[in-house]
Amino acid sequence: MSILSGFLYPPPSSAFMTAMTAIGTGALAYFGLSEAWGKHLQYSKFWNAGSPPSGKQIRVSSRVGMLLLYTPALVAAAAAFAVPAVVADDRCRLLALALALHFFKRDLEVLFIHQYSGNMILNSAIPITLSYFTGTVCMIYAQYVTQGVPGPTLDLKVAGEVLFLVGITGNFYHHHLLSKLRENGDKTYKIPKGGLFELVICPHYLFEVIVFIGFCLISQTLYSFFFALGTLWYLMGRSYATRRWYLSKFENFPRQVKALIPYVF
């Protein structure tokens, strides 16, 4: 922990935050490994992967399901502005604003950008919704309890703001490219082109990771650090599974295209 002392606020002496850090990171790591091993959360192209009999599951439209994922976190981030101590603290205010902007953008994309062809299994939506919601609440709370505590030696707020803006812009751009693959009601899958799709099959995931690294640098708390690490772990597993899916569906899929990190993974 001493290695991180100049980078992070000291962790609060709170059993609740210790438990939430361990549970949140462990859950994201578990789901990331599950994705890599072929046990998928059932949304997007994997919505019907390994489905049980239809009578034993609840399906919702992908658009409704995606709104369910992001809206509670958006509400939580927006509600933080009703707390005077959050508004009065620079880091708390900036973190809550960044979280609200991220999930507001995601809701707008669900409503106006993404083109959907399948459904979502409710049992898969619930853990993702809980992860985003509890992650948002705990990031803001972890920041809130640092008030009055000496800050890290390195102030990385500005670097976090820059990474957040790069991440949210890159994420939107590649979601826009994906939406262009399904114009005029076309619901078939195609190999994405343009942007960083020439290097990785999930650049939108890469930029989402950058968004969460931005949150981490804005807040510089132990919770945000481990939540960003868990998000990276989960999206590595999901992108690995996505690349494997494209390889199985398209004989002409370019094998030099990686899953998440250009030239590396």
Side-chain angles (χ1 to χ4, degrees):
M1 192 66 66
S2 60
I3 298 175
L4 298 177
S5 60
F7 170 66
L8 301 175
Y9 281 95
S13 55
S14 166
F16 169 75
M17 285 307 302
T18 300
M20 292 304 294
T21 301
I23 292 169
T25 308
L28 287 167
Y30 167 77
F31 285 122
L33 285 172
S34 295
E35 292 286 347
W37 291 336
K39 185 179 179 181
H40 307 296
L41 289 175
Q42 292 171 273
Y43 65 96
S44 187
K45 60 182 58 62
F46 299 116
W47 80 267
N48 60 350
S51 297
S54 58
K56 296 184 179 180
Q57 62 187 357
I58 299 174
R59 303 182 185 189
V60 295
S61 73
S62 288
R63 199 175 306 277
V64 169
M66 288 295 179
L67 288 174
L68 177 63
L69 301 191
Y70 305 124
T71 304
L74 169 60
V75 172
F81 287 94
V83 180
V86 170
V87 178
D89 181 80
D90 285 346
R91 280 191 193 266
C92 270
R93 185 173 63 251
L94 184 58
L95 178 63
L97 177 61
L99 285 161
L101 286 174
H102 173 63
F103 290 111
F104 181 65
K105 178 194 78 77
R106 298 299 282 122
D107 271 358
L108 289 180
E109 288 173 337
V110 170
L111 292 171
F112 302 112
I113 300 295
H114 295 313
Q115 305 294 323
Y116 298 105
S117 60
N119 296 308
M120 180 183 288
I121 305 303
L122 188 59
N123 285 348
S124 289
I126 290 172
I128 303 173
T129 301
L130 289 174
S131 176
Y132 281 140
F133 176 75
T134 59
T136 296
V137 171
C138 288
M139 266 193 271
I140 295 172
Y141 178 73
Q143 197 67 58
Y144 169 79
V145 298
T146 65
Q147 295 183 43
V149 176
T153 306
L154 298 173
D155 186 342
L156 299 174
K157 286 198 302 292
V158 174
E161 293 170 21
V162 171
L163 284 180
F164 169 74
L165 292 174
V166 169
I168 202 171
T169 302
N171 183 261
F172 174 80
Y173 173 66
H174 289 91
H175 282 157
H176 174 69
L177 291 180
L178 284 174
S179 73
K180 291 298 182 182
L181 296 175
R182 290 187 168 183
E183 293 183 315
N184 302 318
D186 184 6
K187 295 186 177 182
T188 60
Y189 280 99
K190 303 178 182 68
I191 300 174
K193 302 290 184 183
L196 289 186
F197 282 114
E198 309 300 327
L199 298 176
V200 293
I201 197 58
C202 294
H204 47 307
Y205 288 172
L206 172 62
F207 283 102
E208 183 155 358
V209 170
I210 292 172
V211 166
F212 278 86
I213 294 173
F215 294 151
C216 174
L217 297 188
I218 288 170
S219 61
Q220 293 185 250
T221 62
L222 190 67
Y223 182 87
S224 65
F225 173 80
F226 277 107
F227 198 85
L229 191 64
T231 299
L232 170 63
W233 191 265
Y234 170 67
L235 292 178
M236 285 180 69
R238 186 77 178 184
S239 63
Y240 176 83
T242 299
R243 183 178 184 273
R244 185 172 56 200
W245 183 90
Y246 275 100
L247 284 168
S248 71
K249 297 296 182 181
F250 299 96
E251 293 183 359
N252 62 333
F253 181 81
R255 292 183 174 270
Q256 74 274 13
V257 172
K258 300 296 185 180
L260 183 68
I261 304 171
Y263 309 111
V264 177
F265 175 82

